Amino acid sequence: MVEIDSSLHLARPLGPASVGLQANTTPLTVQIQPQALFSILDHSSRRPPDQHRVIGTLLGTRSDADDSSITIHSSFAVGHTETTDQVEVDMEYQKAMLQLHMRANPKEVLVGWYATSSELNTFSALIQNHYSSQGEGTYPFPAVHLTVESKPGKDVEVRAYISSAVGVTPERAADSAAFVPVPYSINYSEADRSGVESLEGAKEAESRTTGIMTDIESLEKSLEDTLGMLDRVSKYVEGVIEEEEEPSTALGQFLLNTLALAPKVDPSDIEKDFNNHIQDVLTVSYLANMTCYGAVDDGWRRGWQPARRRQEAE
Amino acid sequence: MGSFRVPPKAVPSPHVRLALRQETVKDKYEDIPTIPLQRISRKSAMSLAEETPLRAVQLEALTVMKTIKHCATRHPATATGFLVGMDNNGLLEITNCFPFPVVDLPPEAQYEQQHQHFNSAAAAPRAKANTAYQAEMIRMQKEVGVDANNVGWYTSANLGNFVNSNFIENQYFYQKEVNERTVALVHDVSRSSQGALSMRAFRLSPQFIASYKESKFTTEALQKSGLKYSDIIIELPIRLHNAHNVTTFLNQVPRLLSDGTMRPPTSVSSIESDPAITSDDLSPNFDKLTLNIDPFLQQTCDNLLDSIETHHVESNNFSYYARALGREQTKIQQWQAKRKAENAARAISKQAPLPEDEWQKLFKLPTEPSRLESMLNSRQVEQYARQVDGFVAGTSGKMFAVRGNLIPGETGVSAE
């Protein structure tokens, strides 16, 4: 996981609540799905050269019962311009894109916004208040603000915040907000993992490209990984035996437990099981190939011959 | 375990084949006009494009992740969407993808569809409403700097069952209406969950497009064009590409375990419940080393049975047609013989002979059914066969390895 700043679980700040609505103060966690993050990284690399940071909208779902957890599923970019004294966000665009997006993913709702720079200034507060407002904002739920900073040469920094109103003066209320950091985690599902594994193959290459691995190649990679792990473990054990490494009974016990998992079965049983198993596999392979090259090809040939005979007869 | 090929016997004579080849080459270069300088018309741009044919596809990391997510959330139903990117001198770069909106029909609606299976998601890429959605989405994305060219569409598949008429029609629609240089990206959800990522890119071959345009898939047309089921779709190799910040991100992800040394653990349970280990989502995935073959084999056998059934249905249709044709032919011949006899009789009695070709108006020959379905079916079966081959190769290796390990005293693997 990426380096996560340690955070303190504070009671969620009370936003403006209408009468009768129970404000929720349980701590909030944010879960980010990797494709949302990749989307944000892509947007930050495509930003126009004169813009220091770009923003966009976050879409996702909230957990039902007590909305203590927000999952961010996807994101899209929103055009905005920033000068020293004012900021303009294209809200029409945002509304239109939200509509288009909801048509394809009806279950995702607006949950917040992101920016591609870690700094928090009055513009951030302004935009944050806008996103938390009633009407098109996330009211009565808090809007999540995600900052994803990717400076060349440094690590990608991801931070998540929610905000509360800070009472300064009534005139400055619109562009003041206290950003409270919330813990986040990036969850990879099973399907995502195979994608990320393939992408990782391109980590080392100079051109950052790689082909897609076939089944055999991925099997080879798994075996190499396993052999690597076994190497490291045997080196450690040798080190412990020669008293170069600090021994640990817990590790020794754990290794013993793992090795004991190898089954002790009668060799003839193994032969029988093995033969059955491999027979199944080979039978299906044989049938599939036979269907393909035997029956199907044959059918084509037989299909053509009657037509030819008739043509010759005419 | 090698695959074997039965040489096809229905090969047209060498003279015919040469004539065919000349024809196709001539067709390809026939409508390339001389390119006048300074004026790039659409036709000349297309001809330039024809000279550097698409040879490979490059996928951005973002496209991969978004496609995976969309297909996984909709599994096992089909998920479709469109791709945007750039054509870079024969290499098609796909930079982003977006899903199509799908209307989830209530279960009762399925019974109201009288004609064949209406799969709204599978037919989405060519539906008119979605063309408008696509154009709208591309227009909006252009404002924030995303590539604004539609370069294809994607679909999800389950163990390779994507070769069907929906797939062909979608790709034909894209290659004809939108832009000739488009690909169909297929992500196989079941195979990706078992092992390596499975993404493939396909296009329709030019011969197939020519035949499809005329929509004549009768036996004579097929014999003339020499189109075999393996020629329908061509596969393009895929490369994955990461942007710089994505590479940085990937490098920093498995940080927790590779940073420094951990203190020796104090008990076995602390090893097992150490958060650094249990929460390391991207540790190497050893699911590929499993020997569990049943789900894959079962699914493949089911799919094969379905294909064989379709094959039987199609060949029954064809035999029925052949028999009907035979019957009509004999009737025509009998009628002709009768007419000849009548004319001979009338010639003797000096009457005008009756026309001999009236049979064309009296008898109607049955129309030959299209062979497209059976060709697609054959291609699908070939797809399954190749998949099984790949699977068997891996599994036999694993099986022999495990056996060698479990049987005491066996160190080498006997060559079998």
Side-chain angles (χ1 to χ4, degrees), chain B residues 241-377:
Chain B
H241 176 263
N242 296 333
H244 284 291
N245 46 15
V246 171
T247 312
T248 320
F249 180 71
L250 287 174
N251 271 314
Q252 78 187 70
V253 166
R255 172 86 79 77
L256 218 53
L257 282 184
S258 55
D259 228 12
T261 46
M262 293 164 65
R263 277 196 324 265
T266 46
S267 73
V268 174
S269 52
S270 76
I271 300 179
E272 287 167 358
S273 56
D274 190 342
I277 299 170
T278 50
S279 55
D280 189 3
D281 288 317
L282 296 181
S283 60
N285 188 2
F286 293 110
D287 284 345
K288 304 175 205 96
L289 296 178
T290 177
L291 287 177
N292 190 13
I293 55 169
D294 288 334
F296 183 87
L297 291 182
Q298 269 177 348
Q299 188 65 41
T300 313
C301 287
D302 281 338
N303 289 341
L304 278 175
L305 282 174
D306 283 340
S307 317
I308 294 178
E309 209 179 297
T310 320
H311 180 76
H312 271 304
V313 165
E314 292 293 322
S315 61
N316 278 343
N317 275 346
F318 191 73
S319 335
Y320 182 77
Y321 155 76
R323 280 199 299 272
L325 187 69
R327 279 199 300 267
E328 286 294 313
Q329 299 264 5
T330 35
K331 276 200 272 191
I332 288 173
Q333 278 167 358
Q334 285 173 344
W335 183 92
Q336 276 181 330
K338 216 171 55 160
R339 220 357 112 78
K340 277 205 182 64
E342 275 181 20
N343 280 341
R346 287 166 89 110
I348 293 176
S349 53
K350 300 232 180 356
Q351 281 173 332
L354 296 167
E356 298 220 344
D357 52 356
E358 226 182 320
W359 61 268
Q360 280 167 355
K361 282 178 266 171
L362 294 172
F363 294 96
K364 189 166 159 310
L365 289 173
T367 44
E368 186 172 343
S370 161
R371 312 288 303 231
L372 180 60
E373 272 304 315
S374 37
M375 283 210 342
L376 290 179
N377 193 44

Side-chain angles (χ1 to χ4, degrees), chain B residues 4-307:
Chain B
F4 52 92
R5 220 177 225 290
V6 177
K9 288 207 197 90
V11 167
S13 68
H15 306 294
V16 174
R17 219 191 312 169
L18 201 57
L20 283 180
R21 198 166 296 161
Q22 281 175 353
E23 210 172 50
T24 48
V25 162
K26 207 168 56 137
D27 279 345
K28 190 173 158 198
Y29 289 124
E30 202 170 64
D31 54 357
I32 295 181
T34 51
I35 303 171
L37 296 169
Q38 311 294 343
R39 193 163 58 96
I40 304 177
S41 66
R42 186 164 181 264
K43 220 168 172 212
S44 57
M46 266 167 53
S47 63
L48 275 175
E50 275 174 11
E51 283 164 22
T52 47
L54 284 183
R55 21 172 202 88
V57 168
Q58 184 171 285
L59 281 184
E60 282 293 317
L62 174 63
T63 321
V64 173
M65 298 305 288
K66 280 180 90 164
T67 314
I68 291 177
K69 173 227 175 187
H70 184 221
C71 297
T73 41
R74 288 228 159 234
H75 184 73
T78 327
T80 49
F82 64 97
L83 309 165
V84 294
M86 190 83 95
D87 178 6
N88 188 4
N89 204 18
L91 179 70
L92 196 64
E93 294 178 0
I94 302 181
T95 47
N96 213 334
C97 67
F98 301 97
F100 278 126
V102 174
V103 177
D104 277 325
L105 297 171
E108 303 85 47
Q110 279 182 332
Y111 297 115
E112 291 166 19
Q113 305 293 347
Q114 297 298 336
H115 42 97
Q116 48 179 203
H117 297 298
F118 179 65
N119 191 342
S120 57
R126 60 180 188 277
K128 281 214 177 55
N130 288 330
T131 320
Y133 176 85
Q134 193 175 297
E136 186 68 26
M137 199 55 137
I138 290 185
R139 194 179 60 80
M140 306 214 71
Q141 292 290 345
K142 201 156 93 152
E143 293 180 31
V144 287
V146 176
D147 289 337
N149 307 319
N150 186 2
V151 294
W153 61 290
Y154 68 84
T155 177
S156 67
N158 252 328
L159 280 183
N161 65 348
F162 58 88
V163 185
N164 49 29
S165 54
N166 266 325
F167 180 81
I168 301 287
E169 284 178 40
N170 286 336
Q171 181 60 10
Y172 181 71
F173 173 74
Y174 266 76
Q175 278 187 234
K176 190 165 77 79
E177 304 285 343
V178 181
N179 182 357
E180 211 277 322
R181 298 160 80 73
T182 49
V183 294
L185 194 65
V186 178
H187 174 247
D188 198 325
V189 181
S190 329
R191 289 189 72 195
S192 298
S193 62
Q194 283 169 357
L197 176 69
S198 163
M199 284 266 205
R200 306 169 71 183
F202 295 100
R203 279 167 61 74
L204 295 178
S205 64
Q207 309 105 297
F208 181 75
I209 291 196
S211 309
Y212 195 80
K213 228 181 253 183
E214 302 162 26
S215 302
K216 275 169 60 69
F217 286 100
T218 58
T219 319
E220 298 137 46
L222 284 175
Q223 268 186 313
K224 214 164 45 143
S225 60
L227 189 68
K228 282 193 78 229
Y229 64 82
S230 43
D231 296 332
I232 303 180
I233 50 182
I234 42 182
E235 183 169 356
L236 295 173
I238 294 188
R239 296 197 64 73
L240 303 175
H241 176 263
N242 296 333
H244 284 291
N245 46 15
V246 171
T247 312
T248 320
F249 180 71
L250 287 174
N251 271 314
Q252 78 187 70
V253 166
R255 172 86 79 77
L256 218 53
L257 282 184
S258 55
D259 228 12
T261 46
M262 293 164 65
R263 277 196 324 265
T266 46
S267 73
V268 174
S269 52
S270 76
I271 300 179
E272 287 167 358
S273 56
D274 190 342
I277 299 170
T278 50
S279 55
D280 189 3
D281 288 317
L282 296 181
S283 60
N285 188 2
F286 293 110
D287 284 345
K288 304 175 205 96
L289 296 178
T290 177
L291 287 177
N292 190 13
I293 55 169
D294 288 334
F296 183 87
L297 291 182
Q298 269 177 348
Q299 188 65 41
T300 313
C301 287
D302 281 338
N303 289 341
L304 278 175
L305 282 174
D306 283 340
S307 317

